[in-house]
Amino acid sequence: MKQSIMGENLETKAILGELVRIETVSGCSTNEINDLINKYCEQSCDAKIIASGPNKTQKNIAFRFGPDVPGGIILSGHTDVVPVQDQKWSHPPFDATERDGRIYGRGTCDMKGFLASMIASVPKLDMTKLVRPIWLAFTYDEETGCLGAPYLAKEIVKNSSGIKAVIVGEPTEMTIVDQHKGAFVEYVTFHGLSVHSSLPWLGLSATEYAIRFGAQLVALSEEFSKEVTVTDADRMTTLNLAQINGGTAHNIVPDKCRVMWSLRCAPGQDANAIVTRIRAIARSLEAEMQNHAFKTSVEFETIFDVPPLAAKPDSPALHLGLGMTGQNAAQSVNYGTEAGVYQNVGLPTIICGPGSIEQAHKPDEWISIEQLDACDKFIEKLIANQSV
């Protein structure tokens, strides 16, 4: 392998501090943070992938260490963080502050702590004679719908073969997770016909039809809630009527109303079938609208579609993760991650990372140094596993 530009005692905490100081709120350019990651990884790696999306200022990057042979492991994490606006912090959010065994700062838990452990492993990766590859993958805009990961996942599949495991390092307190819900968000816009409110029969209220659509979503949500008990909510498909926005004044029949709805589909259920069912409800209302006014319509806009992570008992990723941690079984979580994206392109995938989701997205977000140490040791075991 190439000569490393770093010392052998690169510390995870120091790297975490560098990562936190870069304000990588979702939607921002990845140039600065990717430059930092490149500084640590590029000269030592054996191959590099750059995968851009529609916005050319945002790029996913991945680095392969070791030979281009089957049996590889991918460690993956997202570089973006959620905003800090309207949150009351007692520590500077974009400056890592160490106190009482914790490191505070936006993204320390979700999920720059894992990124720091990944990057800190580069000297070890450089010095170890790997017989199977390890990829370090960095994606953008996970927090707003896993927008970057699909581009990188496709490129990795093109540029590698026989991947044994993808490990997404979301905060699980270093426990293995092998299933979570998917997430689908969509706008449905009802286009009616505007008239004076004293003559409503001459027009068509978009808001009234949007409300009727919303009522049917609520009924469908109640149907899902009866499928399993509340205590098994991690297995329950949930539907949320998030927004209804329309109208301009009391004396105008509204000609436009937009509904936002979201779906959290439990693993094993057919999300596409549910989406199709909901769109059919809207189309039925559209047909009724057009019987009254031909130029009325319903418009759909998908905001994001994150696939669920389904449990695979025979997955080599699951067996690897349980073996590395000594745990007997994997867990499930309610939140969504990029793991479903990787699984969706055929890669065996699990989740395991430092920190607790309870600290994520909050003011004074933090990660314990103990968790960082545990993650460092976990990655060391993976490196050893790939060298024999």
Side-chain angles (χ1 to χ4, degrees):
M1 300 181 92
K2 303 171 186 64
Q3 180 66 33
S4 175
I5 62 172
M6 297 160 292
E8 294 180 12
N9 297 317
L10 194 62
E11 292 188 1
T12 302
K13 288 196 299 182
I15 298 171
L16 179 55
E18 291 186 79
L19 293 170
V20 170
R21 280 190 286 273
I22 302 175
E23 298 185 22
T24 55
V25 175
S26 303
C28 295
S29 167
T30 59
N31 290 341
E32 186 177 0
I33 195 161
N34 283 355
D35 285 346
L36 175 63
I37 294 167
N38 278 320
K39 181 184 76 171
Y40 286 119
C41 299
E42 191 168 34
Q43 192 169 327
S44 301
C45 74
D46 292 285
K48 177 182 175 181
I49 291 174
I50 301 175
S52 300
N55 184 344
K56 299 308 177 185
T57 66
Q58 294 182 300
K59 295 179 174 66
N60 306 286
I61 51 176
F63 306 87
R64 193 192 82 228
F65 298 85
D68 184 14
V69 298
I73 295 172
I74 300 171
L75 302 178
S76 182
H78 62 83
T79 58
D80 65 311
V81 298
V82 296
V84 299
Q85 284 90 343
D86 301 321
Q87 292 187 339
K88 295 182 179 180
W89 286 69
S90 55
H91 304 278
F94 294 107
D95 189 8
T97 302
E98 183 176 345
R99 193 184 73 184
D100 299 329
R102 300 174 177 178
I103 299 177
Y104 294 84
R106 173 56 86 222
T108 51
C109 174
D110 187 13
M111 57 181 298
K112 290 181 176 179
F114 185 71
L115 302 189
S117 283
M118 288 165 61
I119 296 169
S121 73
V122 169
K124 185 75 171 179
L125 289 166
D126 193 33
M127 292 184 297
T128 302
K129 186 174 177 58
L130 296 169
V131 296
R132 293 174 300 280
I134 291 180
W135 289 84
L136 304 184
F138 304 85
T139 63
Y140 70 84
D141 282 9
E142 185 270 352
E143 296 289 3
T144 50
C146 299
L147 303 183
Y151 300 100
L152 183 60
K154 291 176 183 177
E155 287 300 313
I156 288 179
V157 169
K158 288 181 187 176
N159 288 274
S160 61
S161 61
I163 295 294
K164 179 181 181 180
V166 180
I167 301 173
V168 177
E170 292 283 356
T172 67
E173 297 183 294
M174 297 308 298
T175 61
I176 304 300
V177 168
D178 70 342
Q179 59 179 325
H180 65 60
K181 296 178 181 180
F184 181 89
V185 178
E186 185 170 71
Y187 283 121
V188 181
T189 303
F190 290 80
H191 297 280
L193 183 62
S194 183
V195 294
H196 195 284
S197 63
S198 66
L199 304 168
W201 53 85
L202 298 181
L204 187 140
S205 172
T207 299
E208 288 184 14
Y209 276 87
I211 290 171
R212 288 173 59 185
F213 174 68
Q216 293 193 61
L217 292 186
V218 171
L220 189 56
S221 178
E222 291 175 353
E223 177 184 320
F224 293 150
S225 70
K226 296 174 182 176
E227 293 180 356
V228 294
T229 60
V230 174
T231 54
D232 293 325
D234 59 328
R235 297 191 292 108
M236 182 193 301
T237 292
T238 58
L239 189 61
N240 181 38
L241 178 59
Q243 295 177 357
I244 300 181
N245 295 312
T248 54
H250 75 89
N251 55 359
I252 302 173
V253 171
D255 64 353
K256 182 178 179 180
C257 189
R258 189 167 73 165
V259 177
M260 175 192 274
W261 67 275
S262 65
L263 174 71
R264 298 275 179 170
C265 193
Q269 290 197 298
D270 190 343
N272 291 332
I274 295 173
V275 171
T276 299
R277 181 179 175 184
I278 290 171
R279 287 177 177 172
I281 293 171
R283 288 297 185 201
S284 177
L285 291 169
E286 180 185 49
E288 184 179 328
M289 292 164 62
Q290 290 176 345
N291 283 335
H292 181 79
F294 177 72
K295 291 185 178 181
T296 57
S297 63
V298 174
E299 177 186 1
F300 302 92
E301 180 188 357
T302 299
I303 306 304
F304 62 79
D305 184 3
V306 178
L309 176 67
K312 305 284 186 181
D314 296 327
S315 167
L318 175 62
H319 293 165
L320 175 68
L322 295 178
M324 291 292 103
T325 60
Q327 296 162 26
N328 294 322
Q331 299 180 7
S332 64
V333 292
N334 274 319
Y335 55 85
T337 76
E338 296 171 336
V341 174
Y342 286 110
Q343 188 180 74
N344 209 38
V345 296
L347 301 179
T349 307
I350 57 172
I351 308 168
C352 181
S356 168
I357 197 66
E358 293 183 6
Q359 272 73 59
H361 299 192
K362 291 182 177 181
D364 289 335
E365 178 181 349
W366 58 269
I367 192 169
S368 71
I369 295 172
E370 181 181 19
Q371 281 287 296
L372 290 177
D373 290 342
C375 187
D376 287 344
K377 291 181 174 64
F378 177 77
I379 294 177
E380 286 178 9
K381 286 185 178 181
L382 291 174
I383 293 172
N385 177 271
Q386 292 298 88
S387 62
V388 294

